[in-house]
Amino acid sequence: MDQPRVAAVEALSNTLSVAVTWIDGTRDVVDLSDPIRRFTMLRPLADPTLFAQVKVVAWGWAIGWGDTEDPDIDYPADRLWQRAQDQRRAAA
């Protein structure tokens, strides 16, 4: 995928993982627990109620939490895609 964009996203219950559908139709489950623990700006996402509110923002260039036009917290699609690839390789 040249430039990854998100078509759909949903939080998976009782985890800090999201199910991502990319614009090419492929799907990944991405564990975000490590960046949520490591980065101060993402730590509020450890709250399951907030994490569950994930949505596609910036026309698919990111996922975010908060306002769709100007999310309080966002995570870029390219980093999300790279994380998915890294996790896929680690599981192999």
Side-chain angles (χ1 to χ4, degrees):
M1 183 179 319
D2 289 332
Q3 294 183 328
R5 285 184 43 212
V6 178
V9 65
E10 69 177 280
L12 301 178
S13 298
N14 302 316
T15 72
L16 292 176
S17 296
V18 291
V20 180
T21 303
W22 304 101
I23 60 166
D24 68 359
T26 60
R27 194 171 148 94
D28 285 302
V29 172
V30 185
D31 180 357
L32 294 175
S33 60
D34 182 55
I36 289 170
R37 276 194 296 272
R38 290 180 50 213
F39 299 111
T40 304
M41 66 174 255
L42 297 177
R43 284 193 190 134
L45 298 177
D47 172 359
T49 303
L50 178 59
F51 190 78
Q53 297 173 22
V54 66
K55 62 187 120 203
V56 177
V57 298
W59 302 278
W61 297 110
I63 60 172
W65 295 263
D67 188 297
T68 301
E69 296 298 318
D70 185 22
D72 299 324
I73 301 171
D74 64 7
Y75 198 86
D78 59 345
R79 284 196 202 147
L80 190 64
W81 184 83
Q82 186 60 54
R83 253 191 112 56
Q85 301 313 301
D86 292 346
Q87 289 173 8
R88 193 178 293 154
R89 279 190 290 273

